[in-house]
Amino acid sequence: MNYLLPERLQALARDHAIGTLTGGARRRFERLMREHPQAAQAAAQWQASLAPLAAEVPPLEPREAVWQGLQARLFKPALASRPAWWQRWFAAPAGAIAGALLCTLVLQQNPAWIGHESYHEALPPSYVGLLSDAAGKPTLLASSRRHGRTLTVKLLQPIAPPPGTEARLWALPKDGSTPLPLGVVPEKGSATLALAAPSEKLFFSVERLAISFEPAGKEARAPSQPLVISGPCVKLW
């Protein structure tokens, strides 16, 4: 199998970056990166694209029971002079780990969102947003293909707008100009929002997405209430 075919290489690099490439497949790809610069470059590009999402996820602290279980099963006195592999693993940035886990969840539930299709199909460039609540808990994922006219949103946890209001999603331009309305977000589950223009035109100059709770049933051209849920919007290509 030729792993250097463009579509296949991009799919492998993406899976490696988000952590869904495991076992022998992961070892083969890491050997491919050592032997072929184009493979290493593809992996680095995917890691750079996903980094903003991971950076928004709060640190993930393992439960005490996890530490105790690892110590009981993996700690060896003979290796006490140097950290065990699990100690080195947990020393990695917790945000990046949480981000990889979150992206894995997304792919399992909606594999087509960022092109997790057959290796023989082209990888679709997309805009992807990860929004968190005031406590830093990931709340909503949004995705739209680069030239698409719809935005798919999925609630990672339910939201509860105050009575008489609804959750409206906004795109926040980099230059600080007026937010762009994207539509009403459901309180739970997922939905597809129609866009007023192709994604490339709407999101090209956007760096964040946000939600405000606006009066229900009333058209809003700009937020009239505080932004309560927000997060980065990045392009994946």
Side-chain angles (χ1 to χ4, degrees), residues 12-13 27 29 31 34 47 86 107 113 116 118-119 127 129 135 154 160 168 175 177 181 193 196 209 228 231 233:
L12 290 170
R27 290 192 292 273
F29 184 70
R31 183 170 62 250
R34 293 193 295 270
Q47 290 169 357
W86 55 268
L107 289 178
W113 277 17
H116 195 215
S118 167
Y119 289 158
Y127 286 95
K154 180 173 180 60
R168 288 189 173 270
D175 60 6
S177 57
L193 307 181
L209 303 179
V228 294
C233 178

Side-chain angles (χ1 to χ4, degrees), residues 1-234:
M1 180 180 293
N2 184 0
Y3 295 108
L4 297 178
L5 291 175
E7 295 85 358
R8 186 173 296 154
L9 180 60
Q10 285 295 319
L12 290 170
R14 177 199 58 228
D15 290 355
H16 180 270
I18 64 177
T20 57
L21 195 66
T22 60
R26 187 177 185 87
R27 290 192 292 273
R28 285 192 296 272
F29 184 70
E30 289 175 346
R31 183 170 62 250
L32 192 72
M33 288 193 294
R34 293 193 295 270
E35 297 174 354
H36 298 278
Q38 59 266 48
Q41 181 180 6
Q45 289 173 341
W46 270 101
Q47 290 169 357
S49 295
L50 293 172
L53 298 182
E56 288 289 320
V57 179
L60 180 66
E61 292 293 338
R63 301 188 308 274
E64 182 63 27
V66 174
W67 284 113
Q68 294 175 354
L70 286 171
Q71 289 175 339
R73 295 174 57 189
L74 303 173
F75 184 74
K76 296 180 180 180
L79 298 179
S81 60
R82 72 179 207 178
W85 69 265
W86 55 268
Q87 292 173 311
R88 298 193 298 273
W89 188 84
F90 273 115
I97 295 171
L101 292 174
L102 182 58
C103 287
T104 300
L105 172 65
V106 177
L107 289 178
Q108 288 174 341
Q109 296 183 350
N110 296 277
W113 277 17
I114 54 175
H116 195 215
E117 293 120 349
S118 167
Y119 289 158
H120 298 286
E121 298 179 16
L123 179 68
S126 302
Y127 286 95
V128 177
L130 171 62
L131 284 66
S132 301
D133 61 16
K137 187 174 181 180
T139 302
L140 180 143
L141 275 158
S143 175
S144 180
R145 296 198 176 191
R146 182 177 181 181
H147 300 291
R149 295 295 297 261
T150 61
L151 179 72
T152 302
V153 297
K154 180 173 180 60
L155 274 299
L156 302 178
Q157 63 169 331
I159 57 176
T165 69
E166 57 191 8
R168 288 189 173 270
L169 183 63
W170 308 90
L172 310 183
K174 298 177 183 178
D175 60 6
S177 57
T178 303
L180 308 174
L182 299 176
V184 177
V185 173
E187 296 184 16
K188 61 181 179 179
S190 59
T192 300
L193 307 181
L195 298 175
S199 292
E200 179 73 352
K201 181 177 181 180
L202 281 177
F203 298 117
F204 179 78
S205 299
V206 168
E207 63 178 4
R208 295 183 69 81
L209 303 179
I211 288 175
S212 65
F213 296 143
E214 302 292 335
K218 294 184 179 181
E219 183 178 357
R221 297 183 179 275
S224 64
Q225 302 299 317
L227 301 176
V228 294
I229 301 171
S230 65
C233 178
V234 300

